[in-house]
Amino acid sequence: MYELWYWPGIPGRGELPRLALEAGKIPYRDMAREAGEDGYKALSKNMGQARDDPPFAPPYLITEEGLVIGQAANILLYLGEEYGLAPLDSAGRLWINQCQLTIADMVSEAHDTHHPVAIGAYYEDQQPEAKRRAEDFRAHRIPKYLGWFERILAERGDWLSGEAWSYADLSLFHLVEGLTFAFPRRMATIFGDLPKVMKLHGAVAALPELQDYLTSDRRLPFSDGIFRHYPELDGP
Amino acid sequence: MYELWYWPGIPGRGELPRLALEAGKIPYRDMAREAGEDGYKALSKNMGQARDDPPFAPPYLITEEGLVIGQAANILLYLGEEYGLAPLDSAGRLWINQCQLTIADMVSEAHDTHHPVAIGAYYEDQQPEAKRRAEDFRAHRIPKYLGWFERILAERGDWLSGEAWSYADLSLFHLVEGLTFAFPRRMATIFGDLPKVMKLHGAVAALPELQDYLTSDRRLPFSDGIFRHYPELDGP
């Protein structure tokens, strides 16, 4: 069985491989969550182990053979190939990886709206800077990124690969969920320009493979992780 | 022959696939640079073409068969597999991709030191914020990222894969070059803690496969791209 390691308590970047594991019905253990109150300690201890393939940061996946796979997009590349959660031909595989890397870029930028100048400091200590960054993100980056996905779906159909859902569709669903949590006013004004993206979002939410997970307590709500709702950072 | 598309005038993220193409002796055309003064226009026009696989941003590579591969790490994944510029077994391939994605994260953070709050605005209009972000980057992020590579090399040997150079070693070389250009004072104080990283940097600079390129005018100097030298953002 796979071990998934990620910070307990937030969906964060761990949710990207988690959605693929769940939708693919791939057995895994969510290690830091299993450790309960000791989750952070267990994760820190595991991260600090002497290895020649240490992960830089969570999430990371450990296979039964002991292979440690870090970086969410890299875990998904592996799961996609291993379980057919993405096209298996070279063009389709690279295309879905490209979509995933672009989602990863937007996730990082969403995080930086509340931590624009010091990743390790509190939001409260960088609030004026956060306001500026969030304004730019709402005005320019949200339309640019989501407009790109809209353009793709207008060409390809219902899914990013065109044919069937892939792990990148699951991640795009999570991205839209996170943006809607963090920037509800902005997303309300832009939904109408993104009919295909919103259709995909609804289609992932309705995937039979995900129903069990989405209604379970394995799925954590957004709170103070990557996607955060600060009303002062939102706007139309 | 491959077409590489990237902003002319700066090394930027285009340098990551460019180094792999050059070291691998893989024939390619550097399209926007070939267009001379019309380079930006040529790139914008090519980016705007109707396609079902549009790149989100440069760099992107177009194969002879017309496959469009965007995202630097994705181009490198492709070149690595196609030309053996990374281990070909699953564990080695994923490991080098993981290293590359971590380099990509650091490149983005290096960019954000001079553009912390508005990617499309001038540095001069976000200078106080840049100063804070650069302080955090110098104090916390440079040691964390480069310390990770040092730890890996201490376990594995001279190269990130352990055995031979891969595209990620070329990118790590470029990252160190860029950081040294942008933050010469900070890098001078940290070099001593990074003997293995600096050895790798020197080994890439001395690769016989790269000598022709490194001394050619195909290699652009750093200027006002991702890595920028603003003395006020540097410090010990």
Side-chain angles (χ1 to χ4, degrees), chain A residues 18-217:
Chain A
R18 193 178 288 115
L19 279 170
L21 290 162
E22 293 281 353
K25 306 290 176 200
I26 302 163
Y28 73 102
R29 292 176 61 188
D30 212 330
M31 300 301 285
R33 287 201 197 158
E34 278 188 22
E37 284 183 9
D38 291 327
Y40 285 93
K41 210 188 289 178
L43 176 56
S44 299
K45 195 178 157 196
N46 191 272
M47 292 255 316
Q49 273 183 23
R51 286 190 177 108
D52 71 351
D53 52 3
F56 179 75
Y60 56 96
L61 189 77
I62 306 184
T63 70
E64 283 187 356
E65 295 75 32
L67 187 64
V68 181
I69 308 171
Q71 284 274 4
N74 195 40
I75 299 172
L76 289 167
L77 183 75
Y78 167 81
L79 293 175
E81 293 175 359
E82 213 55 28
Y83 298 94
L85 303 182
L88 294 174
D89 65 297
S90 176
R93 202 170 54 92
L94 292 164
W95 169 249
I96 292 301
N97 186 44
Q98 177 179 336
C99 290
Q100 189 66 37
L101 293 175
T102 308
I103 291 167
D105 286 344
M106 193 181 189
V107 168
S108 290
E109 291 190 25
H111 168 271
D112 284 2
T113 59
H114 52 79
H115 276 73
V117 293
I119 291 161
Y122 289 111
Y123 163 66
E124 288 69 22
D125 295 331
Q126 46 195 308
Q127 215 171 344
E129 295 95 338
K131 217 160 168 222
R132 269 193 87 183
R133 174 100 187 204
E135 272 166 24
D136 185 72
F137 185 72
R138 294 197 315 269
H140 303 297
R141 307 304 284 173
I142 288 181
K144 180 166 172 159
Y145 275 107
L146 296 186
W148 183 69
F149 289 109
E150 186 70 18
R151 179 180 163 199
I152 290 165
L153 295 168
E155 292 286 337
R156 292 190 165 232
D158 292 341
W159 304 108
L160 292 171
S161 79
E163 291 147 34
W165 66 264
S166 69
Y167 63 76
D169 298 284
L170 308 181
S171 290
L172 182 54
F173 158 80
H174 182 68
L175 177 62
V176 170
E177 290 272 290
L179 292 170
T180 306
F181 170 79
F183 304 100
R185 294 180 63 201
R186 178 63 180 122
M187 290 301 281
T189 67
I190 208 174
F191 278 159
D193 302 329
L194 304 167
K196 305 284 292 178
V197 170
M198 296 320 296
K199 190 178 168 196
L200 180 147
H201 174 267
V204 171
L207 276 183
E209 297 91 327
L210 273 181
Q211 293 317 302
D212 175 47
Y213 172 65
L214 292 179
T215 55
S216 75
D217 60 7

Side-chain angles (χ1 to χ4, degrees), chain B residues 18-218:
Chain B
R18 194 177 288 115
L19 279 169
L21 290 162
E22 293 280 352
K25 305 292 176 199
I26 302 163
Y28 73 103
R29 293 176 60 189
D30 212 329
M31 301 300 287
R33 287 201 197 159
E34 278 189 19
E37 284 183 9
D38 292 325
Y40 284 93
K41 210 188 290 176
L43 175 57
S44 298
K45 195 178 156 196
N46 190 272
M47 291 254 319
Q49 274 184 23
R51 286 190 177 108
D52 72 351
D53 53 1
F56 179 76
Y60 56 96
L61 190 77
I62 306 184
T63 70
E64 283 187 357
E65 296 75 32
L67 187 65
V68 181
I69 307 170
Q71 284 274 5
N74 195 39
I75 299 172
L76 290 167
L77 184 73
Y78 167 80
L79 294 174
E81 293 176 0
E82 214 54 29
Y83 298 95
L85 304 182
L88 295 173
D89 65 297
S90 176
R93 203 169 55 90
L94 291 164
W95 169 247
I96 291 302
N97 186 44
Q98 177 179 337
C99 290
Q100 189 65 38
L101 293 174
T102 308
I103 291 168
D105 286 344
M106 195 182 188
V107 168
S108 290
E109 291 191 25
H111 167 271
D112 284 3
T113 57
H114 52 79
H115 276 73
V117 291
I119 291 160
Y122 290 110
Y123 163 65
E124 287 69 21
D125 295 331
Q126 47 195 307
Q127 215 171 345
E129 294 95 338
K131 213 157 171 227
R132 267 193 88 182
R133 175 99 186 202
E135 272 166 24
D136 184 71
F137 184 73
R138 294 197 315 269
H140 302 296
R141 306 304 285 174
I142 289 181
K144 181 169 170 153
Y145 275 107
L146 296 186
W148 183 68
F149 289 109
E150 186 70 19
R151 178 179 163 198
I152 291 165
L153 294 168
E155 291 287 337
R156 291 191 164 232
D158 292 342
W159 304 107
L160 291 171
S161 80
E163 292 149 32
W165 65 264
S166 70
Y167 63 75
D169 297 285
L170 308 180
S171 290
L172 182 55
F173 159 79
H174 182 68
L175 177 63
V176 170
E177 290 272 291
L179 292 170
T180 307
F181 170 78
F183 304 100
R185 292 180 65 201
R186 178 61 181 123
M187 290 300 281
T189 66
I190 207 173
F191 278 161
D193 301 329
L194 304 167
K196 304 283 293 178
V197 170
M198 297 319 296
K199 189 180 169 195
L200 180 149
H201 174 268
V204 171
L207 276 183
E209 297 92 327
L210 272 181
Q211 293 316 302
D212 175 46
Y213 172 65
L214 293 179
T215 56
S216 74
D217 59 8
R218 298 196 299 288

